[in-house]
């Protein structure tokens, strides 16, 4: 319990640093948010009044601490573009990102674990080489390329639009695009971890008892080989929650990623700051969960903690 509290407290400086970094980056970008909102042919006096109303005339350090104080209480500011609470906008968008990430994780975990285990059982066979070749393609292909290929196939060739999260099989198309890369990584990690564990002494003992290779892998080696794989899966899921920008943009999914890209286009600083801070929290939570899972599954780490 103490180690968990220590890790949680250790994330506070990271969050403060992220907020400060975003503040600095947004302020050094040329342009005025108030001027962009008002558009062309607006006099300077009107721009100055809006700048004052938005609080952009205050020193950056004052703006930073005002934002930090509000964020602690769950207030991430008001959108410049839509005049809405950023917190409410994130709450509305997050279910779409969560559904997409869950479906992508399900696809990646089932396909990655399944192919990795089969490849380890059939080591150096044609099936092994085929699965590892496909997994290498999954790791190598960028998400945007997979997404565009799937969109072309299902939207223009098969005419299966709309590709939206509508509770049907088509919901899996954006999820496959997001989870394809993770599936390849999991497959390769599962295979290599299993084969490494298969070199242990207790595996030789199990083989000496006359057990078949499949029974040794599934009954003895699989549990111990899953430790690094489960850690990777937890980290990948938090990454899917925070990194679905490309997939959501291509498939027009109104999630956190698309909210962030829209904020960049509109120079909507409160929304951009809020989405970055929110996704940072998700990544930190994913790392914390991965550490906890590892300590639960590995008694040696639990004793050290």
């Amino acid at each position: 319990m103490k180690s968990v509290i220590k890790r949680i407290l250790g994330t506070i400086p990271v969050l403060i640093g992220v907020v400060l970094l975003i503040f600095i980056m947004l302020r050094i970008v040329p342009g005025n948010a108030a001027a962009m909102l008002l558009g062309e042919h607006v006099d300077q006096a009107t721009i100055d009044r809006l700048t004052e109303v938005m609080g952009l005339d205050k020193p950056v350090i004052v703006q930073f601490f005002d934002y930090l104080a509000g964020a602690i209480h769950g207030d991430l500011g008001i959108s410049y573009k839509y005049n809405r609470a950023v917190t409410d906008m994130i709450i509305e968008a997050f279910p779409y990102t969560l559904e997409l990430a869950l479906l992508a994780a399900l696809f990646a975990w089932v396909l990655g674990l399944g192919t990795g285990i089969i490849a380890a059982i059939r080591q150096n066979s044609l099936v092994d080489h085929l699965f590892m070749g496909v997994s290498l393609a999954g790791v190598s292909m960028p998400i945007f390329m997979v997404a565009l290929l799937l969109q072309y196939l299902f939207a223009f060739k098969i005419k299966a639009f709309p590709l939206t999260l509508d509770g049907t099989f088509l919901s899996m198309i954006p999820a496959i695009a997001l989870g394809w890369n993770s599936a390849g990584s999991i497959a390769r990690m599962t295979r290599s971890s299993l084969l490494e564990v298969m070199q242990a002494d207790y595996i030789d003992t199990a083989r000496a008892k006359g057990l078949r290779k499949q029974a040794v892998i599934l009954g003895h080696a699989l549990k111990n080989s899953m430790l690094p794989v489960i850690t990777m899966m937890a980290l990948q899921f938090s990454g899917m929650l925070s990194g679905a920008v490309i997939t959501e943009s291509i498939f027009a999914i109104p999630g956190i990623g698309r909210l962030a890209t829209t904020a960049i286009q509109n120079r909507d600083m409160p929304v951009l700051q809020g989405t970055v801070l929110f996704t940072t929290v998700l990544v930190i939570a994913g790392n914390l969960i991965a550490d906890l899972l590892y300590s639960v599954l590995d008694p040696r780490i639990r004793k050290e903690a």
Side-chain angles (χ1 to χ4, degrees):
M1 187 64 184
K2 290 182 179 179
S3 62
V4 175
I5 296 174
K6 188 184 296 184
R7 286 169 181 164
I8 293 174
L9 292 176
T11 63
I12 295 176
V14 176
L15 292 174
I16 295 175
V18 168
V19 176
L20 179 60
L21 182 62
I22 292 298
F23 253 87
I24 294 173
M25 290 177 63
L26 290 177
R27 266 68 184 181
I28 63 176
V29 175
N32 186 304
M36 291 184 65
L37 288 175
L38 292 172
E40 299 179 359
H41 311 299
V42 178
D43 60 275
Q44 187 61 43
T46 303
I47 295 175
D48 293 340
R49 284 197 299 272
L50 182 58
T51 301
E52 183 179 354
V53 170
M54 295 166 66
L56 299 178
D57 60 328
K58 298 179 182 179
V60 175
I61 190 67
V62 175
Q63 295 181 46
F64 171 71
F65 281 108
D66 286 346
Y67 181 80
L68 198 60
I72 292 173
H73 296 89
D75 180 10
L76 299 177
I78 302 297
S79 168
Y80 294 162
K81 179 70 174 179
Y82 302 103
N83 196 30
R84 294 185 55 203
V86 175
T87 305
D88 293 340
M89 296 175 69
I90 291 176
I91 291 174
E92 289 179 6
F94 183 59
Y96 294 97
T97 299
L98 179 61
E99 182 180 355
L100 175 63
L102 286 172
L103 290 172
L106 177 64
F107 166 77
W109 295 347
V110 171
L111 182 64
L113 288 174
T115 55
I117 293 171
I118 294 172
I121 293 175
R122 304 291 299 276
Q123 183 184 7
N124 296 326
S125 67
L126 178 61
V127 173
D128 180 20
H129 294 308
L130 176 62
F131 283 177
M132 288 302 99
V134 173
S135 69
L136 181 60
V139 173
S140 304
M141 290 180 66
I143 292 176
F144 76 88
M145 183 180 295
V146 178
L148 291 174
L149 285 174
L150 291 174
Q151 190 178 67
Y152 175 76
L153 176 63
F154 285 91
F156 297 101
K157 288 297 183 181
I158 304 180
K159 306 293 184 182
F161 254 131
L163 299 179
T164 56
L165 300 177
D166 56 3
T168 66
F169 171 75
L170 291 179
S171 299
M172 286 300 298
I173 304 305
I176 291 172
L178 181 59
W180 183 259
N181 184 278
S182 297
S185 300
I186 291 172
R188 299 183 72 83
M189 173 69 79
T190 301
R191 179 186 181 275
S192 62
S193 183
L194 263 175
L195 293 178
E196 182 180 351
V197 171
M198 289 294 290
Q199 307 301 317
D201 292 338
Y202 71 91
I203 297 297
D204 293 334
T205 303
R207 284 172 173 165
K209 294 179 180 179
L211 295 177
R212 296 178 60 188
K213 185 176 182 180
Q214 291 89 333
V216 173
I217 290 178
L218 298 177
H220 297 272
L222 187 59
K223 180 181 178 181
N224 291 330
S225 67
M226 285 297 100
L227 293 175
V229 179
I230 290 175
T231 303
M232 174 186 282
M233 289 161 62
L235 294 176
Q236 284 182 343
F237 182 65
S238 65
M240 290 174 185
L241 285 171
S242 60
V245 177
I246 296 174
T247 307
E248 290 180 356
S249 298
I250 291 176
F251 291 101
I253 298 171
I256 299 293
R258 196 176 180 202
L259 189 64
T261 55
T262 304
I264 294 171
Q265 294 168 359
N266 296 324
R267 197 178 169 81
D268 198 340
M269 289 184 287
V271 176
L272 183 57
Q273 289 167 177
T275 52
V276 171
L277 181 60
F278 183 74
T279 53
T280 302
V281 172
L282 293 177
V283 172
I284 291 174
N287 280 271
L288 182 60
I289 292 171
D291 290 342
L292 293 176
L293 283 173
Y294 212 101
S295 62
V296 168
L297 294 171
D298 194 334
R300 296 169 296 180
I301 297 177
R302 195 160 59 240
K303 287 180 181 179
E304 292 175 3

